[in-house]
Amino acid sequence: MIKSSEAVSRLIAGLARLPGIGRKTASRLAFHILKVPREEALELAEAIRDVKDRVGFCTICNNISENDPCHICSDTQRKKNIICVVEEAMDLAALEKSEHFHGLYHVLGGRISPLDGIGPDDLKIKELLTRLTDGSVEEIVIATNPNVEGEATALYLAKLIKPLGVKITRIARGLPVGSDLEYADGMTLSRAMEGRQEIHLDSHE
């Protein structure tokens, strides 16, 4: 049996830590990297280094950006009185591609998922509430994914925001239950945004 290279083993282990990448896929990727020309492999390594050195998070909305504030928060043409709340920056990018929403965003950095050990304090919820203190925001559009965790996160946010007197809406039709925003097409997202409905909480909640 041929003993594997320590460097290759480290590469496989590193790739296997990426989301959605198992050990077998990581091995295939590692051996692909070995086969490609050195320049191509180093270009990938440089791109990874560059993104870690240059890209951070907007201190206002938590979107990924090379500038702070990000280009959306800095855009004077955006509607400042409406904020769309999404789970991840990938969801924000998907909604931007639909070219239908022209307000601001807030990226939570995940969703409430007790089974994964993710609670409200692990998300950028306090930062969102801080953005609502000056009274300039009239509507919050909750665009968390239409699955169990996304719905639970939406309800939690609605309960926190309701006492502030801000209108709360939820994206509606067009998104099948259990799907993720990042995989939806622009037309579907446009219809979901157009059909958003106000969230009404029961008085005893």
Side-chain angles (χ1 to χ4, degrees):
M1 183 176 179
I2 300 176
K3 184 177 180 180
S4 178
S5 161
E6 180 180 348
V8 173
S9 296
R10 285 180 54 212
L11 178 58
I12 292 173
L15 292 169
R17 287 196 291 268
L18 297 174
I21 304 295
R23 183 83 181 178
K24 187 175 294 185
T25 301
S27 296
R28 286 199 294 267
L29 290 172
F31 283 103
H32 172 75
I33 291 172
L34 279 171
K35 292 178 181 178
V36 301
R38 176 182 174 83
E39 294 75 17
E40 186 176 330
L42 292 181
E43 184 178 343
L44 173 61
E46 184 60 30
I48 294 174
R49 182 187 298 275
D50 199 31
V51 77
K52 293 302 293 183
D53 288 343
R54 297 175 56 186
V55 180
F57 295 92
C58 176
T59 53
I60 297 176
C61 72
N62 199 41
N63 184 26
I64 55 174
S65 176
E66 291 189 20
N67 301 304
D68 188 19
C70 70
H71 70 285
I72 293 177
C73 290
S74 302
D75 188 349
T76 58
Q77 301 302 311
R78 308 288 299 209
K79 296 179 180 178
K80 307 295 184 181
N81 63 339
I82 180 170
I83 295 177
C84 180
V85 181
V86 297
E87 294 178 15
E88 302 286 0
M90 294 180 292
D91 302 326
L92 183 157
L95 286 168
E96 279 296 281
K97 285 181 181 178
S98 75
E99 298 182 345
H100 182 81
F101 183 73
H102 305 292
L104 301 178
Y105 291 92
H106 190 84
V107 182
L108 294 173
R111 58 194 176 193
I112 298 174
S113 179
L115 292 178
D116 297 318
I118 302 174
D121 292 339
D122 299 309
L123 307 178
K124 298 293 183 178
I125 295 177
K126 291 180 180 178
E127 290 80 355
L128 172 62
L129 297 178
T130 299
R131 297 179 67 182
L132 306 181
T133 55
D134 65 1
S136 63
V137 178
E138 300 174 2
E139 180 182 356
I140 291 290
V141 182
I142 300 180
T144 51
N145 287 308
N147 50 37
V148 174
E149 293 85 359
E151 294 296 337
T153 303
L155 183 59
Y156 181 85
L157 291 174
K159 289 181 178 180
L160 289 179
I161 297 170
K162 182 183 178 182
L164 303 178
V166 178
K167 181 180 179 181
I168 311 163
T169 57
R170 181 84 166 101
I171 54 172
R173 69 179 188 272
L175 288 174
V177 174
S179 64
D180 286 346
L181 264 67
E182 63 176 296
Y183 301 121
D185 61 88
M187 182 61 71
T188 297
L189 289 172
S190 292
R191 288 175 177 172
M193 189 63 73
E194 287 175 353
R196 65 182 184 273
Q197 300 173 344
E198 188 167 359
I199 295 178
H200 298 284
L201 300 175
D202 293 336
S203 58
H204 64 272
E205 291 185 341

